[in-house]
Amino acid sequence: MLKARIAVLVSGGGTNLQALLNARNTVLQSGDIVLVVSNNPDAYALQRAAAAGVKSAVVRKKDGNFEERLAAVLEENKIDLIILAGFMTILSAGFTARFRDRIINVHPSLIPSFCGQGYYGLKVHEEALAYGVKVTGATVHLVNEIPDGGRILLQKAVDVLDGDTPEILQKRVMEQAEWILLPRAAEMMSREIIGKENL
Ligand code: GAR
């Protein structure tokens, strides 16, 4: 295998998807982003995929058999690595076991702070500010049956500053941590996958 085949799963704006697309052939050399899957047909991330010439698919929860249809589209496209990039859905133990050690997620805090069920998007930053931490950050980790509980791959700290709002802090964490860590982790995992295939 020359490159690992990557699917990026999204639900919203897709700035992390954009960071991955921008890293193609620089930071991300060992993986090819061949598919973007959204559970939300209106996600702006789908427009980013189209602009980058990457195939996309929409799998909606309300159409039923969500995980079965998601797994089918991933298997049809022979995906080696699944990247959750702002994918606002918790995957079941059955699904994560089916793709064991092949799913990574970016979370906008330093796990184990401000993580687990119910902590997603802006809510994570609201909670960090409410607690009064002076340092937060981002984590990229493997996905298992425990929400935000899989092995940590990369983390980066980001300062919380006086006057921060959740929106301001979210933007700083994205710029200084998420958009840097996610392409690096994608490359790490892709390299490992290619290495295993070529043994
Ligand atoms: C990102 O901050 C990501 O870390 C977070 O949602 C945002 C998606 O932004 N994910 C979670 O909270 C998952 N628990 P994006 O669509 O612009 O990449």
Side-chain angles (χ1 to χ4, degrees):
M1 190 198 301
L2 288 176
K3 291 196 181 195
R5 292 174 61 80
I6 298 175
V8 185
L9 275 49
V10 297
S11 300
T15 66
N16 279 287
L17 166 65
Q18 193 65 54
L20 288 163
L21 292 168
N22 294 349
R24 289 178 298 178
N25 300 319
T26 56
V27 173
L28 181 54
Q29 306 236 355
S30 308
D32 230 352
I33 302 166
V34 297
L35 182 69
V36 170
V37 185
S38 177
N39 62 330
N40 166 15
D42 301 322
Y44 183 67
L46 290 168
Q47 293 187 40
R48 297 182 189 270
V54 175
K55 178 176 166 181
S56 65
V58 174
V59 180
R60 295 189 304 181
K61 277 199 165 163
K62 68 175 182 191
D63 294 335
N65 293 329
F66 177 68
E67 289 192 343
E68 269 316 305
R69 288 185 302 112
L70 182 58
V73 80
L74 296 169
E75 280 166 2
E76 275 158 24
N77 285 279
K78 300 192 172 17
I79 297 304
D80 300 303
L81 176 63
I82 301 162
I83 302 181
L84 309 185
F87 188 59
M88 301 304 181
T89 290
I90 290 183
L91 297 166
S92 72
F95 188 95
T96 59
R98 188 159 168 179
F99 298 96
R100 185 171 301 288
D101 293 338
R102 293 296 173 102
I103 314 176
I104 65 174
N105 178 48
V106 60
H107 182 77
S109 75
L110 294 174
I111 291 175
S113 289
F114 312 115
C115 65
Q117 194 125 27
Y119 283 89
Y120 56 86
L122 214 48
K123 166 92 174 154
V124 178
H125 304 292
E126 284 166 7
E127 293 292 326
L129 289 175
Y131 199 96
V133 293
K134 299 298 176 195
V135 174
T136 183
T139 304
V140 180
H141 62 93
L142 287 173
V143 175
N144 65 9
E145 68 284 1
I146 302 160
D148 297 324
R151 182 163 66 83
I152 290 173
L153 299 174
L154 294 172
Q155 281 188 309
K156 194 166 185 287
V158 174
D159 286 336
V160 178
L161 301 179
D162 287 348
D164 272 353
T165 62
E167 290 80 6
I168 290 170
L169 184 57
Q170 179 181 53
K171 185 155 182 279
R172 188 178 312 115
V173 169
M174 284 176 158
E175 285 173 354
Q176 295 185 8
E178 295 185 51
W179 300 342
I180 298 166
L181 293 187
L182 194 56
R184 281 189 197 159
E187 174 61 17
M188 271 172 52
M189 291 294 296
S190 298
R191 216 178 277 176
E192 199 179 299
I193 289 165
I194 294 176
K196 273 188 195 149
E197 288 283 324
N198 292 340
L199 276 183

